[in-house]
Amino acid sequence: MDLLAHPSIIERRMDDQSVLARRAPNTLIAEMHRDLARLYREQLVALLTI
């Protein structure tokens, strides 16, 4: 059984990844953080549409 985090937690993680992407020392690390932010956004949308 998958346990979903509360929407506020997912939103916070998404925001954190966006900040880390802006502060990343190079483009590869920035892209990784942007990908994680997109993943959290998808999870948030999925959770809110249940």
Side-chain angles (χ1 to χ4, degrees), residues 32-44:
M32 177 194 67
H33 288 297
R34 284 191 293 269
D35 289 344
L36 285 170
R38 281 190 288 269
L39 174 66
Y40 286 128
R41 180 177 301 277
E42 290 174 6
Q43 288 179 355
L44 183 60

Side-chain angles (χ1 to χ4, degrees), residues 17-33:
Q17 292 302 319
S18 296
V19 170
L20 290 170
R22 286 193 295 274
R23 295 181 178 179
N26 62 53
T27 57
L28 286 175
I29 294 174
E31 185 62 31
M32 177 194 67
H33 288 297

Side-chain angles (χ1 to χ4, degrees), residues 1-6 8 11 13-14 16 22 24 28-29 33-34 36-37 39 44-46:
M1 180 170 112
D2 290 333
L3 298 176
L4 298 174
H6 191 272
S8 64
E11 186 175 9
R13 290 175 182 165
M14 182 178 64
D16 289 348
R22 286 193 295 274
L28 286 175
I29 294 174
H33 288 297
R34 284 191 293 269
L36 285 170
L39 174 66
L44 183 60
V45 168

